[in-house]
Amino acid sequence: MEERLVELETRVAFQENTLQELNDVVVRQQQQIDQLKSDLETIRVQVLALTPASLEENPA
């Protein structure tokens, strides 16, 4: 019985560690997503700012 309890406690500890590692990965991925969204918005604003000038230089 004692051996089984130790095994279960070991498994729980391992699972808790795995969950924490997975949570850390999710947090890092969300930070990357947030940064990419910010970068994309910056690029979008820059492209929109350039578009009128490009149309004036190259009339169709």
Side-chain angles (χ1 to χ4, degrees):
M1 181 70 168
E2 179 71 25
E3 188 176 315
R4 182 165 164 75
L5 183 59
V6 169
E7 182 182 341
L8 289 173
E9 289 174 342
T10 301
R11 286 184 183 194
V12 168
F14 177 77
Q15 289 176 349
E16 287 176 348
N17 184 54
T18 301
L19 284 173
Q20 184 59 51
E21 289 175 359
L22 289 171
N23 186 58
D24 293 345
V25 168
V26 170
V27 169
R28 283 194 308 272
Q29 287 177 337
Q30 187 60 52
Q31 290 169 340
Q32 290 173 335
I33 289 168
D34 292 342
Q35 183 62 52
L36 288 169
K37 286 170 68 175
S38 175
D39 293 347
L40 181 59
E41 179 62 19
T42 299
I43 291 169
R44 188 186 73 77
V45 168
Q46 291 173 348
V47 167
L48 289 174
L50 292 175
T51 301
S54 299
L55 291 175
E56 292 173 14
E57 292 174 10
N58 300 315

